[in-house]
Amino acid sequence: MSAPLPHLLAELDVELVDSSITDAGFYGAFVVDRDGFRILSMPTGRSVFERDTAARMLLAEGFGLDAPPVPAPLEVSRA
């Protein structure tokens, strides 16, 4: 999880796409479709640090990796 984000995404076979969701409380979504295709959808206009941190938290949660829990007041929901 410490690799540069582009390398991490390639290693995990995840495509990063820009989200059209502009809600300030939305940090991104990790989606696996029926065919197993993995997508990380992230809002634009965030700082590099915020986007990188949120991406790593979502990937860790999505892949069930051993990582610290998401800090409050953030939460991860599954559908």
Side-chain angles (χ1 to χ4, degrees):
M1 290 298 288
S2 62
L5 188 57
H7 296 159
L8 183 59
L9 294 169
E11 183 177 318
L12 296 173
D13 195 25
V14 175
E15 181 181 353
L16 177 63
V17 298
D18 291 334
S19 173
S20 61
I21 299 172
T22 58
D23 184 307
F26 176 73
Y27 291 89
F30 176 71
V31 178
V32 180
D33 72 11
R34 293 178 211 207
D35 297 326
F37 190 71
R38 300 177 185 127
I39 300 167
L40 182 61
S41 177
M42 305 283 302
T44 60
R46 305 287 173 94
S47 72
V48 172
F49 175 78
E50 185 176 354
R51 189 170 166 109
D52 186 85
T53 303
R56 291 172 191 281
M57 287 190 298
L58 288 166
L59 291 170
E61 286 286 326
F63 281 96
L65 303 176
D66 186 26
V70 175
L74 299 177
E75 62 183 64
V76 174
S77 60
R78 298 178 186 270

